[in-house]
Amino acid sequence: MSKITAAEKLDAELKAAKKLSPKGQAVSSAVVQALKDFCAQNSEFERAVLDGDTIDKCIESTIKNAGSSISDLEVYKKAVRFYFPGATVKMALTIDLGDEGFSNNKKIELGLDDLLDF
């Protein structure tokens, strides 16, 4: 018997979700995609999603007390914390003027981990 992945679990649970609020419906696809991306980045987080509660409960918890608006970053932070309390999400935004970044004057930053191959 094959093991289900976190991505498969999230997709199946979202498909089966019957009672998402209008706000929950509005963010559900983006939340599921972000969680699947985070699971691909970190196996410990993936395990938390596999062992955790259902995506509909996560989504409704995420938008609870949101008022008339909530930022994408806040939605993702709340969704991640639903499965892994204490975790956070960091976001970086960049601009591409249609030239795939060639017009940018980028600096290259390397850390010690980048230089040493363990």
Side-chain angles (χ1 to χ4, degrees), residues 78-103:
K78 287 182 170 189
V80 164
R81 288 183 185 137
F82 179 84
Y83 289 107
F84 206 107
T88 193
V89 174
K90 296 178 182 176
M91 184 184 298
L93 300 173
T94 57
I95 186 170
D96 180 346
L97 301 179
D99 60 0
E100 297 182 26
F102 288 114
S103 64

Side-chain angles (χ1 to χ4, degrees), residues 5 7-8 13 16-17 23 29 31 57 61 72 81 84 92 107:
T5 67
E8 292 167 334
E13 289 175 351
K23 289 180 187 178
S29 294
V31 168
K57 290 180 183 175
S61 172
D72 293 352
R81 288 183 185 137
F84 206 107
K107 63 179 179 179

Side-chain angles (χ1 to χ4, degrees), residues 38-113:
F38 297 148
C39 286
Q41 293 173 29
N42 187 290
S43 61
E44 191 173 354
F45 181 72
E46 181 178 25
R47 174 56 44 206
V49 170
L50 283 167
D51 294 342
D53 217 329
T54 58
I55 190 62
D56 58 332
K57 290 180 183 175
C58 170
I59 290 169
E60 291 304 319
S61 172
T62 297
I63 53 99
K64 185 177 180 180
N65 300 322
S68 61
S69 67
I70 186 169
S71 73
D72 293 352
L73 182 57
E74 191 62 24
V75 168
Y76 301 143
K77 282 181 179 181
K78 287 182 170 189
V80 164
R81 288 183 185 137
F82 179 84
Y83 289 107
F84 206 107
T88 193
V89 174
K90 296 178 182 176
M91 184 184 298
L93 300 173
T94 57
I95 186 170
D96 180 346
L97 301 179
D99 60 0
E100 297 182 26
F102 288 114
S103 64
N104 293 334
N105 294 323
K106 292 185 178 181
K107 63 179 179 179
I108 297 174
E109 295 182 28
L110 296 174
L112 185 58
D113 289 341

Side-chain angles (χ1 to χ4, degrees), residues 3-50:
K3 292 170 56 172
I4 187 171
T5 67
E8 292 167 334
K9 175 186 187 269
L10 292 168
D11 285 339
E13 289 175 351
L14 183 60
K15 186 176 180 180
K18 302 275 189 238
K19 297 182 182 180
L20 285 177
S21 66
K23 289 180 187 178
Q25 290 174 10
V27 301
S28 62
S29 294
V31 168
V32 167
Q33 186 56 56
L35 290 174
K36 291 188 319 188
D37 291 344
F38 297 148
C39 286
Q41 293 173 29
N42 187 290
S43 61
E44 191 173 354
F45 181 72
E46 181 178 25
R47 174 56 44 206
V49 170
L50 283 167

